Each structure stands twice: as structure tokens, then as C-alpha cells.
Amino acid sequence: MSESNISYRAMMMRRIRSSMEQVYAITMFGLRFFRYVLVPPYEWGQVRKHLDDLGAKSIPLLTIVGLIMGLILALQTRPTLDRFGAGGFLPAMLALTIVRELGPVITALIVAGRVSSGIGAEVGSMKVTEQIDALEVSGVDPFNYLVVTRVVACSLILPLLTAYVDFLGIFGGYLAEWISYDSSMQLYFTEVLQSLEFNDIIPGVGKTIAFGYIIGIIGAYQGFNTTRGTEGVGRAATTAVVLASLNIIFLDMIIIQLTLLLLGSGS
Amino acid sequence: MNQPQDNVLIDVIDVWKSFDDLHVLTGVSMQVHKGSSDVILGRSGIGKSVLLKSIVGLLVPERGSIEVMGKQVMGMKPGELNDLRKHIGYVFQYAALYDSLSVRENLEFPLRKHTDADDEEIGERVMEQLRLVGLEEVVDRMPAQLSGGMKKRIGLARAIITRPDLVLYDEPTAGLDPITAREISELILNLEEQFGITSITVTHDLECARVIANRIYILETGAFQVQGTFEELKRASDPTTKAFFQVMA
Ligand SMILES: Nc1ncnc2c1ncn2[C@@H]1O[C@H](COP(=O)(O)OP(=O)(O)O)[C@@H](O)[C@H]1O
Ligand SMILES: [Mg+2]
């Protein structure tokens, strides 16, 4: 019995050690980005290409999800609000929920699913087919050319995509109100705008820059460290989605605590 | 110093490289002279690619010395390594064409990064290079639209478009039918004569070795056990070499 305990403990220790090493490696990989992004050469052509690609990949899905998110949220909360005689607060409540929390997180998770895996697979297949080695012997730093450009593109585009989803969500809420109560668009949007403050919008959209960074870095890390041929490429893609999604949620939790601390609990 | 060094382009001395518990290279040494075309034979997974990658600094061995054109590669700074690589072409095992770029863009890539040629000159060089490998018509195709043999040719064209002094070929004929393989071997020979290229070719294709090799090394369990010309090795009596040459006959 004690023997199996020892081997079990040894196995756990090995597991823990290898996870720690993994965390360390990803952290160093992530920090390397900041060393690169501050100094030329910049591959703007590549960044633009990735921006186009990211937008085209994500926008269809985000459009549907954004609209439906607002619609469902309005349909679900309206009866509860009515019960307290607070139905008139719906536009304000919806706008705050979406802009502060749901918009950024849902956008980030969807883009993570679409893009982190894509980056993992793209970079991973370049790794296993020696294209990354080929870049290096051609005098191109693969980290700068493949990783920095993708991370920059993700960080630039995520705030824009979030703003788009926020708008669609709020509009979806209006659609629900219009279907059920034939309410006026002007009134709805006036209330939305009145309820939103600078302090809601900036942290909400701002944190998506960090989410974009996570999506890019984790996808690229998995791709860069792909081994064992095509099978490894598939693994890189799935691991990237899981890790990116987890990290987004953790980071969001931390940011919420920080904003509450710094800006107060708001209205 | 002790030898006529200026004639030696690559000097590999007692190189050791392992991955975790796997000892791949255990004391490899070789000297490649200017203008020579040397071939490394060996079974798959024996460490041929690892050796080639160590020579261009893509992998860093833990022991030994690798001098290329009189400069120590191991421990070289990135900037210096870059300068050295301008003189080296590398043909990867599966061509390693950039699959998001067209054939034209693939060929332009090393020119844009390693030379300061202008657009017009680059355009001409690309077409000239494609003529050399007989594939002008595929200039606007994507790599996914090429056959295996075409990919190898384009990979070859990309490796020598900067007119390097030294070219490293990793299994240039692997996975090709015998006729195409023969054509590639002869293409390599022609290009080397035409441009005075020094080369190391890694292969397990004996026919390719026969066509292009001035000198052959046989890599076995971490080091070179045998070396000599094709004719010498063909008559050799040690079991490894015999095994190799019997498979061919
Ligand atoms: N980057 C790497 N990490 C771990 N093991 C490697 C790496 N590169 C090669 N190896 C291992 O080293 C051995 C020799 O590989 P390689 O040089 O590619 O063989 P080949 O002679 O067929 O070219 C193989 O067992 C391979 O799995
Ligand atoms: Mg190999």
C-alpha cells in the first residue's frame, strides 16, 4: 500500500512539475512579445492580412450571436422587471449588462474558438512542415513574422468586434421590445445612451485588448511548440481553444475585481 | 592553422546532440572542401537532418565545434548567424514552401530579406530561376497545387536564388518516383557545376548519391563509421556499408 502511495505521489509530482514548466514557458513566450513589439522591423503587411482574415472569420458568427444574445436577454428579464414594476429600466439594464460584461466576454470566447484554434493549426502546420525553419534560414525572425503580427492583429481587432457585438446585442434587445410591446426606437436608444457612462464603456472595451492578446499568444504558443506531425497540429488547435477560453475567464474575473476596486461599484 | 584551412568550407569536429534521453549525434566529425559535393547516407531517424540543422544553427548541439566559412556557428549571435546564412541555401525535406504564398512570392522571399535587389530585378531573377528548374508555367500557382516533384524543384529554386556558396540538401529525392528522382539528382549536379556550389546532401537514395557525390559518409549510431568515394564504399567489406549497397543491387 505504501509503495503504491509513493508511486502515486511521484506521478503527481511529475504532473505538477510539468504543468509548472508549461506555465513558465507560456509566460516567457508571452513576455517575449513585449520585447519584440517595441522595436522594428514591423511587418505591417502581415498584420493587415491577419486583420482581414480575423474579421472575415469572426463577423458572421458574431452577428448572429450578438443579436440573439440581446433578444434573449430582453425576453428573459422583461417579466421579472415587470413584476417589480421596473419594466422601464430594461434598456438601461440591458445596455449595462452587455457593455460591461456579456459583450466583451462572449466576443472573446467566440473569437477564441474561431481564431485561437486557427492560429494554432496554421502555425503548427508551418512548424511540422519546416516552414518555420525555412523562414529562419531566409533571415526572417519567425517570432516577429508569425507571432507578433498575429497577436497585434488580435489585440487591435477585438475592441472593434466587441463594440460591434455590443451594438448588435442592444439592438437585439430593442427587437424583442418592439415585437412584444411595439415600443419606440427613439425612446429605447435614448434610455440606453443615458444609462451608459464613460466608466462602463472604457473598462468593457479596454479589457478586450488583453483578451485579444491572450487569444493570439496562446494560439501561437501551441502552434510554435507543435511536435509529431499532423496529429500534433490537431492537438495544438484544440489545446489552444481550451487554454485561451480559460485564461479569458480568469482574466475577466480579475479585471472585474480591479474595476470595482478602482472605479467603485458604479451606478 | 595546421592545414590549408582556406580550402575547408565546413569543419565539423566531435559534435554531440541529444534530445532528453535520446542521444542522436555522439561525436560526429566531417570536413567539406570548397567545390566538393559530399553525401551523407544513413537510415531514417539516425540524425541526418539534425546534423544539417546544426550546421546552419537551427539546432544547437551541446558539445563540439562547427565552423562554416571559417566562423564558429555554435554560440553565434543572431545578427552574425543571419549574415552567414546569406551564403547558405537549405533545401528542406518536404520543400517547406510557404503555403500561404504563391510560387512567385516564395521565390521572392529570400531575395527581399537577404539582398537589396529592386522589384524589377527580383522579378527577373524569379523567372530566370524558374527557367533553370524548368517550371516557368507554375509561377502563379499556390504550393498546394503542385505535385511532389514540382515542390522539390521550387524548393531547390528558392534555396539557390540568392546564389549561395554552400547548399544543404535534405533528402532531395525522397518520396519521388525513380525517374523524377533521377531528374532531380541531375538538376542538382548541373546547378552545382554551373554556379560552383559546395554542397552536403543527406539522402538514403543510393542512386542520388552515385550521381552527385564526390565523397560519401555513412552515419550510423551517432557518428560517421565509414567514408570514401562511391567506388570505394561499393567495394567495402564492413557489414553496414555492405547492407546499404546490397539493398540497391
Ligand atoms: N526537435 C527535436 N526534438 C526532439 N527530437 C528530435 C528533434 N529533431 C529530431 N529529433 C529526433 O532525433 C532523431 C533523428 O532525427 P532526424 O535527424 O530527423 O533523422 P533523419 O536521419 O531521418 O533525418 C529522431 O529520433 C527524431 O525523433
Ligand atoms: Mg531527415
Side-chain angles (χ1 to χ4, degrees):
Chain A
M1 189 188 117
S2 69
E3 211 168 274
S4 79
N5 260 345
I6 289 172
S7 71
Y8 178 72
R9 258 185 56 187
M11 195 189 73
M12 285 309 286
M13 291 307 281
R14 255 206 313 279
R15 284 253 175 94
I16 292 174
R17 228 187 98 190
S18 94
S19 325
M20 301 278 268
E21 279 167 5
Q22 186 87 337
V23 170
Y24 176 77
I26 298 187
T27 311
M28 294 320 284
F29 192 83
L31 290 177
R32 202 167 151 200
F33 168 81
F34 295 103
R35 262 216 331 267
Y36 273 76
V37 82
L38 297 174
V39 285
Y42 297 112
E43 299 277 355
W44 285 117
Q46 286 294 307
V47 174
R48 266 206 51 185
K49 202 177 111 188
H50 295 318
L51 283 174
D52 286 349
D53 195 42
L54 290 177
K57 260 189 189 161
S58 328
I59 282 178
L61 191 55
L62 287 176
T63 307
I64 297 168
V65 171
L67 271 177
I68 291 181
M69 170 180 75
L71 208 97
I72 290 176
L73 208 59
L75 289 175
Q76 286 277 15
T77 40
R78 182 83 199 191
T80 318
L81 287 178
D82 278 343
R83 210 178 316 149
F84 295 107
F89 286 123
L90 189 123
M93 194 221 70
L94 205 73
L96 283 176
T97 319
I98 289 177
V99 169
R100 274 194 195 162
E101 200 41 45
L102 278 182
V105 171
I106 286 187
T107 310
L109 289 179
I110 285 179
V111 175
R114 205 74 181 82
V115 171
S116 240
S117 56
I119 292 177
E122 258 168 43
V123 177
S125 76
M126 291 188 74
K127 171 75 194 274
V128 300
T129 57
E130 298 181 314
Q131 290 175 55
I132 292 186
D133 287 334
L135 280 175
E136 206 170 330
V137 292
S138 291
V140 174
D141 186 327
F143 192 89
N144 196 39
Y145 190 79
L146 300 176
V147 181
V148 174
T149 52
R150 284 177 168 81
V151 176
V152 165
C154 286
S155 281
L156 286 178
I157 207 161
L158 217 64
L160 300 179
L161 293 177
T162 302
Y164 175 70
V165 168
D166 286 353
F167 171 77
L168 283 173
I170 292 169
F171 183 74
Y174 167 71
L175 284 184
E177 290 285 282
W178 176 73
I179 294 167
S180 316
Y181 304 94
D182 196 16
S183 52
S184 119
M185 191 195 263
Q186 196 185 353
L187 190 66
Y188 179 89
F189 279 98
T190 314
E191 281 182 32
V192 164
L193 289 179
Q194 268 170 5
S195 67
L196 286 178
E197 286 173 23
F198 196 65
N199 278 357
D200 303 312
I201 298 173
I202 294 302
V205 175
K207 68 184 170 190
T208 62
I209 296 174
F211 294 162
Y213 167 79
I214 288 178
I215 291 169
I217 275 290
I218 289 183
Y221 174 83
Q222 292 301 330
F224 234 69
N225 290 285
T226 304
T227 49
R228 286 171 232 280
T230 37
E231 182 202 333
V233 175
R235 203 171 32 235
T238 29
T239 314
V241 180
V242 175
L243 280 185
S245 308
L246 278 178
N247 275 286
I248 285 166
I249 290 171
F250 276 127
L251 181 66
D252 188 50
M253 226 162 61
I254 293 168
I255 290 177
I256 291 172
Q257 296 299 328
L258 282 180
T259 13
L260 289 181
L261 217 69
L262 294 176
L263 302 175
S265 56
S267 42
Chain B
M1 284 164 265
N2 42 5
Q3 290 276 315
Q5 286 292 328
D6 45 28
N7 205 15
V8 175
L9 212 60
I10 302 178
D11 198 357
V12 176
I13 305 171
D14 193 29
V15 163
W16 293 63
K17 173 74 187 169
S18 47
F19 300 100
D20 299 324
D21 295 337
L22 181 70
H23 301 286
V24 179
L25 304 179
T26 52
V28 169
S29 302
M30 77 185 295
Q31 275 197 339
V32 181
H33 292 260
K34 205 174 226 155
S36 178
S37 172
D38 289 13
V39 166
I40 299 173
L41 285 175
R43 287 178 294 137
S44 321
I46 207 84
K48 303 182 299 293
S49 302
V50 169
L51 177 59
L52 278 195
K53 286 184 180 171
S54 302
I55 290 173
V56 284
L58 286 171
L59 288 174
V60 185
E62 43 287 334
R63 262 174 64 189
S65 152
I66 299 176
E67 279 187 19
V68 178
M69 297 171 186
K71 297 197 185 84
Q72 180 57 244
V73 175
M74 287 167 61
M76 207 178 227
K77 293 200 193 72
E80 287 175 294
L81 203 48
N82 229 340
D83 287 337
L84 182 66
R85 285 172 179 162
K86 289 179 187 170
H87 303 282
I88 305 176
Y90 198 118
V91 179
F92 288 89
Q93 186 164 352
Y94 302 102
L97 301 179
Y98 306 123
D99 43 30
S100 61
L101 303 181
S102 69
V103 167
R104 182 195 304 281
E105 290 164 327
N106 263 283
L107 293 184
E108 285 173 355
F109 209 91
L111 287 177
R112 293 199 191 282
K113 300 298 173 179
H114 273 332
T115 69
D116 35 44
D118 58 26
D119 282 355
E120 191 185 340
E121 194 183 335
I122 286 178
E124 281 168 15
R125 293 272 290 273
V126 167
M127 290 320 291
E128 179 197 338
Q129 204 64 21
L130 285 173
R131 258 195 303 281
L132 277 174
V133 297
L135 282 175
E136 287 159 280
E137 71 277 9
V138 304
V139 63
D140 288 312
R141 286 204 211 162
M142 298 304 282
Q145 300 166 304
L146 303 177
S147 71
M150 287 173 168
K151 279 186 190 161
K152 295 257 170 165
R153 281 168 199 258
I154 301 296
L156 202 81
R158 186 179 67 181
I160 60 171
I161 196 167
T162 55
R163 297 283 173 267
D165 304 301
L166 170 67
V167 180
L168 307 176
Y169 300 91
D170 196 349
E171 314 240 2
T173 60
L176 300 178
D177 61 274
I179 298 169
T180 316
R182 182 68 187 268
E183 282 170 11
I184 297 272
S185 303
E186 274 162 8
L187 181 63
I188 290 174
L189 193 66
N190 284 342
L191 293 173
E192 291 190 345
E193 280 169 0
Q194 197 170 339
F195 300 113
I197 292 170
T198 307
S199 71
I200 301 181
T201 305
V202 152
T203 185
H204 50 239
D205 172 3
L206 219 50
E207 172 64 9
C208 170
R210 192 186 63 75
V211 173
I212 64 180
N214 292 127
R215 188 164 193 78
I216 296 175
Y217 297 76
I218 295 189
L219 185 61
E220 186 68 30
T221 57
F224 292 128
Q225 308 297 354
V226 192
Q227 51 177 294
T229 63
F230 189 87
E231 292 305 322
E232 281 165 13
L233 292 190
K234 208 170 151 187
R235 288 192 300 269
S237 56
D238 69 291
T240 317
T241 317
K242 269 190 134 160
F244 245 105
F245 279 72
Q246 263 156 18
V247 174
M248 185 212 182

